[in-house]
Amino acid sequence: MDIRQRLLAAFDLEHKDHLAAIRNALRDAEATGDAPDLVDIHRRAHSLKGAARAVDLPEVEAISHRLEAAFIAVQKGELPLDPASVGVVRRSLDAIEDLVAWSLQGGDAVETAGVLADLDALAAGRSGGPVPAASPAPARPAARTAARRPPAQRDRAADADTAALVRIASQGLERLSETASALLPEVEAQAGLGEQLRAMRREWRALDRAWRHLRVQIGRGVRVDAGADALPDALAGRGALPALMAFERRFRALGGALDSAHRSHDRLLWSMRRWGGGLQQDMRRLRMLPAENQLSGLGRMVRDISRAEGKEVEVDVRGLEVEADRTVLQRLKDPILHIARNAISHGIETPAERLALGKRPAARVTIAASVEGARLRLRIEDDGRGLDRAAILRKAAERGLIDAADLSAGAEMPQERLTEFLFHPGFSTAAQTTELAGRGMGLAIARREVERLQGNLTIADRTGGGTAVTIEVPLSLLSQRLVFVQVQDQTLAIPSADVVRLRTATAQSLFSGTGTPMTRIGEEEIPVTSLAALLGMEAPVVPSAERGLSLVVVRAGDRRLALAVDRFVATRETVVTAAEETGLDSGRYLGTVLMDDGGPALVLNIPGLMPLPGSTLPAPARPAEEATPARAHILVVDDSITTRTLEKSILEAHGYRVTLCVDGREALERLSEGMEVGLIISDVEMPRMDGFALLQAVKADKRLEEIPVILVTSRASDEDRERGLRLGADAYIVKTRFDQNELLAGIRRLL
């Protein structure tokens, strides 16, 4: 790294400090009505000019010089610090910010003519002529001129520091990261082999004790057991002794080998955990970047959007020193901009409207980043007019989302339910469509992208007026720490970031709060419900008063809920396959993870499952005497253990009883034995008997022909579809565009 690059890196930090101080001084002055510290502002503009000259940034130097002259004029009373002049100053600060970023990172050239013209016009309004230009810098050699080009155009001269840097393709890093993440669960799976070895050692020791006893009995020449014939004396004699000794030697050797294998496995497992975990952590650190790396330009973007709308917005971006996965940060830029556009269009007033309301003319948008546990939290706030409850309710009624009773009682509607309307595609309260508003897609797109990142997005009123939008996403998509629980015969996973604590309690320790069972943890009273019931499964039977309950206390924002589960299984870090890749409802599930047996477990989306405030929670249990409601029985036929286990999990989560078969022949055998089912879901490509043959056999059997059959297959050709429907399939769903909701809708229609 040459000396100029070192100076630029230092200037990058220095100019941010100066810009932030000037912006804060102007903002505080507008908020309080007091005059800002013009001496300090002038000093900082002067420092910017000198530092820009030192690092060879003449454009920054020129703007800083004019700013310095403007603040001198304000100090002398020759220039008013009114909203118009403050607007010019803010645009000048934005231009300086962009010029420094361009000098460090490259990209499109920064247009400064307009800013310089505004500053000259500002000076002309004071003195009738333009502000004097800065003293011209001495001519520089051609080499220095070339050095001012952005990095994308700069010749990459080798230097002492380049050996420490390696440029690699991002796709290669992604693949390496995925490999590292997939390695750790495989390492943990080896722990199961260790348990098998321990069980074998226990069994060997039991056999060893039995053999020692047997050997003593043989040596005495007596019967081993009362019901057996007496062992002949010759058995312990000289003829049998060599064979017995050979057997014992081999038996002892086997025990020694077993002990050695177990010790070796433990050592290798420890080593694999150490190095595998280290590799994953190193890969995670390689992908982690300060949020500033991807989000530093948000302030300028938001200010540009606001000016296009004729509004003045001051942007305060905080916490960008926190680190998160590069991919996560990249994919968050669009949701943040959609939210900012929505705030500017719907929430922030024009300067004239704000002055009439007693507000300062420039609105304030705050974008704050923070890390909570293993999650990145972004909060976007504005001090505009806030949510227009009446307009939202009217639009919801127009679109048929609420009825007249809901509209008349809208004042009592919980805010969480009200804001849910805003995420419906096409939902907009704008009076007319503009480039920024009126289509009703911004918030829907933002939430969908956040859900793809396995996160959640919420909107609420801001204390003091305005709106606050909160985004929470995992810091990294490589892997997540999950808490596995058992619910009926399913293993489900909950992100540990959503888990407050695990605890056990007795049924008699619960108490009723307004009809809802509650538990007390510390000073907090938390409602209790059954996770099975929340997922639409059959609620468990009410336990005896003394029986222990396994409770997972989860959080979504500021709300808490205790979920009763059958038992806690394990906690481990693993890779989550996103919901969109498996056709799951992202409102209920974040995705799936592979278990040790190769089958998938569903990962729950706790904020999406959490009932809205005021909603009636499902009963945590049902009385023992209550009859179990009849559940439709579905036969799932698929040779892929992952697919059939996933479909079983989805169907059981929606209240269906499911039986699995690995191919068409097994399914036909079960049906021939008299098994009664209400519907069949079958793959097409399977060994022994494929789905078409199974469908044909079912429809040819008088006892089975009325059973509806849904084919779920990767064969998407029109010919295959027509063949399936011609053979009698009631629905044909293509796996490559598999939609869980389409499958469930088809089942409801056929049943």
Side-chain angles (χ1 to χ4, degrees):
M1 184 182 293
D2 61 30
I3 185 63
R4 183 171 181 275
Q5 290 303 304
R6 295 180 187 274
L7 290 173
L8 273 174
F11 180 69
D12 183 39
L13 298 174
E14 179 183 0
H15 96 283
K16 288 176 180 176
D17 179 60
H18 290 316
L19 296 186
I22 295 172
R23 285 169 173 156
N24 290 337
L26 295 176
R27 180 175 62 244
D28 293 343
E30 283 185 332
T32 63
D34 299 331
D37 186 348
L38 294 170
V39 174
D40 182 65
I41 293 176
H42 166 241
R43 178 185 63 79
R44 289 182 179 277
H46 180 76
S47 297
L48 272 173
K49 181 177 72 173
R53 181 183 296 121
V55 295
D56 194 16
L57 292 178
E59 296 88 353
V60 175
E61 181 184 352
I63 295 173
S64 301
H65 173 71
R66 285 166 169 78
L67 279 175
E68 181 186 10
F71 287 125
I72 291 174
V74 173
Q75 284 180 273
K76 293 180 178 180
E78 299 173 354
L79 183 67
L81 196 62
D82 56 15
S85 59
V86 169
V88 173
V89 170
R90 287 195 173 114
R91 287 192 292 277
S92 303
L93 299 178
D94 291 345
I96 291 173
E97 194 172 46
D98 289 347
L99 284 165
V100 178
W102 175 84
S103 69
L104 289 167
Q105 303 170 12
D108 296 334
V110 180
E111 177 57 52
T112 60
V115 171
L116 291 171
D118 288 345
L119 287 167
D120 287 341
L122 192 64
R126 165 179 62 87
S127 60
V131 65
S135 301
R140 295 175 173 85
R144 288 293 305 279
T145 303
R148 287 211 325 259
R149 290 182 296 174
Q153 303 169 1
R154 191 179 300 135
D155 294 333
R156 294 177 172 85
D159 55 52
D161 289 343
T162 54
L165 301 174
V166 177
R167 184 182 297 273
I168 64 173
S170 61
Q171 295 90 340
L173 182 61
E174 294 287 339
R175 287 194 296 271
L176 187 57
S177 299
E178 290 172 2
T179 302
S181 298
L183 174 63
L184 204 56
E186 294 300 320
V187 171
E188 290 305 315
Q190 295 298 310
L193 178 57
E195 183 57 40
Q196 292 178 23
L197 285 170
R198 280 189 288 274
M200 291 172 66
R201 288 179 72 195
R202 289 193 296 269
E203 182 65 20
W204 185 89
R205 288 186 180 122
L207 288 173
D208 182 47
R209 288 192 297 270
W211 164 246
R212 290 176 186 273
H213 177 68
L214 181 61
R215 188 178 60 179
V216 171
Q217 301 289 19
I218 291 174
R220 292 175 179 172
V222 298
R223 288 185 303 176
V224 176
D225 120 87
D229 294 331
L231 290 173
D233 293 340
L235 187 63
R238 197 169 293 175
L241 189 57
L244 291 173
M245 292 178 65
F247 170 80
E248 184 165 6
R249 281 195 301 271
R250 294 179 63 186
F251 187 63
R252 301 290 173 210
L254 175 61
L258 191 56
D259 285 343
S260 177
H262 188 253
R263 286 193 299 270
S264 296
H265 176 268
D266 284 349
R267 180 180 59 79
L268 291 172
L269 180 60
W270 176 86
S271 181
M272 290 172 66
R273 278 175 169 164
R274 177 188 175 190
W275 294 109
L279 174 61
Q280 187 185 44
Q281 290 303 315
D282 288 344
M283 290 306 306
R284 188 189 297 273
R285 280 191 290 269
L286 277 177
R287 294 168 58 101
M288 299 291 275
L289 294 172
E292 184 178 19
N293 185 277
Q294 297 292 329
L295 307 182
S296 59
L298 286 174
R300 175 60 190 268
M301 294 178 191
V302 174
R303 286 188 287 268
D304 287 346
I305 292 169
S306 66
R307 286 171 191 144
E309 287 282 288
K311 299 175 181 179
E312 280 295 325
V313 172
E314 183 180 329
V315 185
D316 184 11
V317 183
R318 307 173 182 172
L320 294 190
E321 70 280 358
V322 302
E323 293 189 344
D325 190 291
R326 175 181 57 85
T327 303
V328 172
L329 293 172
Q330 284 178 336
R331 291 172 59 180
L332 281 175
K333 290 175 71 172
D334 281 348
I336 294 173
L337 284 177
H338 280 300
I339 293 165
R341 289 192 186 100
N342 192 73
I344 292 167
S345 300
H346 297 284
I348 292 174
E349 312 91 342
T350 64
E353 290 171 334
R354 291 179 65 85
L355 286 171
L357 293 169
K359 298 181 178 181
R360 55 194 182 91
R364 185 175 185 181
V365 172
T366 302
I367 303 174
S370 60
V371 172
E372 297 186 7
R375 287 188 175 252
L376 174 66
R377 181 185 177 95
L378 288 167
R379 189 170 175 86
I380 302 101
E381 297 184 352
D382 68 77
D383 63 352
R385 61 174 61 92
L387 296 170
D388 189 339
R389 178 179 283 265
I392 294 172
L393 289 170
R394 284 197 302 272
K395 190 67 178 181
E398 288 175 14
R399 299 195 58 185
L401 301 176
I402 57 174
D403 55 25
D406 287 327
L407 183 61
S408 60
E412 290 77 35
M413 182 178 291
Q415 188 177 75
E416 286 84 353
R417 184 185 174 195
L418 183 79
T419 56
E420 278 299 309
F421 298 137
L422 301 175
F423 297 107
H424 283 257
F427 190 100
S428 177
T429 58
Q432 59 184 3
T433 301
T434 67
E435 288 187 6
L436 291 184
R439 297 176 180 83
M441 298 301 296
L443 288 177
I445 293 171
R447 172 175 272 190
R448 185 163 62 248
E449 183 60 27
V450 170
E451 287 178 343
R452 286 174 178 166
L453 288 171
Q454 301 170 21
N456 58 83
L457 186 156
T458 57
I459 301 177
D461 286 323
R462 171 181 172 269
T463 304
T467 308
V469 179
T470 303
I471 296 173
E472 285 193 8
V473 294
L475 283 174
S476 173
L477 298 180
L478 283 182
S479 62
Q480 293 191 53
R481 181 157 291 278
L482 303 173
V483 177
F484 291 86
V485 297
Q486 191 79 21
V487 176
Q488 295 182 7
D489 60 347
Q490 287 192 59
T491 300
L492 302 170
I494 303 172
S496 64
D498 295 330
V499 177
V500 178
R501 65 180 298 176
L502 305 176
R503 68 165 300 181
T504 56
T506 59
Q508 64 184 3
S509 69
L510 304 183
F511 61 94
S512 178
T514 62
T516 300
M518 309 282 285
T519 185
R520 183 175 283 104
I521 299 178
E523 299 299 320
E524 190 174 9
E525 295 180 355
I526 299 174
V528 180
T529 189
S530 162
L531 179 54
L534 196 62
L535 291 171
M537 304 179 193
E538 181 181 313
V541 175
V542 173
S544 62
E546 299 78 17
R547 182 185 170 189
L549 293 175
S550 298
L551 300 178
V552 183
V553 182
V554 296
R555 71 171 185 91
D558 297 328
R559 297 161 58 207
R560 302 286 188 272
L561 183 64
L563 302 175
V565 300
D566 293 345
R567 66 184 181 92
F568 308 132
V569 177
T571 300
R572 74 176 187 184
E573 186 137 338
T574 188
V575 181
V576 178
T577 301
E580 63 175 353
E581 296 183 29
T582 49
L584 290 170
D585 177 7
S586 59
R588 296 165 64 90
Y589 307 104
L590 294 179
T592 60
V593 295
L594 284 179
M595 303 297 291
D596 293 340
D597 61 1
L602 297 173
V603 183
L604 303 178
N605 179 4
I606 293 300
L609 279 174
M610 189 83 77
L612 294 174
S615 302
T616 302
L617 286 173
R622 59 185 172 83
E625 65 276 6
E626 183 178 296
T628 301
R631 295 190 297 162
H633 186 193
I634 297 177
L635 177 64
V636 173
V637 190
D638 201 301
D639 62 325
S640 166
I641 182 174
T642 300
T643 301
R644 64 176 181 265
T645 308
L646 177 60
E647 290 178 354
K648 180 176 187 287
S649 299
I650 294 172
L651 295 173
E652 288 185 337
H654 286 81
Y656 298 107
R657 187 161 56 93
V658 180
T659 296
L660 300 178
C661 290
V662 298
D663 57 31
R665 181 176 296 180
E666 182 188 1
L668 198 59
E669 289 172 354
R670 300 287 294 276
L671 292 169
S672 300
E673 292 168 358
M675 183 177 67
E676 296 183 359
V677 299
L679 183 139
I680 299 171
I681 300 174
S682 176
D683 187 19
V684 169
E685 295 184 18
M686 296 180 292
R688 300 202 301 173
M689 177 183 283
D690 66 16
F692 288 142
L694 172 63
L695 172 63
Q696 198 168 13
V698 167
K699 295 303 179 182
D701 191 320
K702 295 295 184 183
R703 297 180 303 103
L704 307 176
E705 62 180 350
E706 297 299 323
I707 301 176
V709 179
I710 299 177
L711 295 180
V712 180
T713 175
S714 57
R715 296 169 70 162
S717 69
D718 292 338
E719 181 182 350
D720 286 324
R721 179 187 295 274
E722 290 174 5
R723 180 185 177 190
L725 297 177
R726 187 173 62 253
L727 290 173
D730 296 271
Y732 192 100
I733 298 176
V734 179
K735 284 182 179 179
T736 52
R737 53 178 186 270
F738 174 68
D739 183 352
Q740 168 187 303
N741 295 325
E742 179 185 357
L743 175 63
L744 293 170
I747 292 171
R748 285 191 291 268
R749 175 175 57 82
L750 295 172
L751 290 177

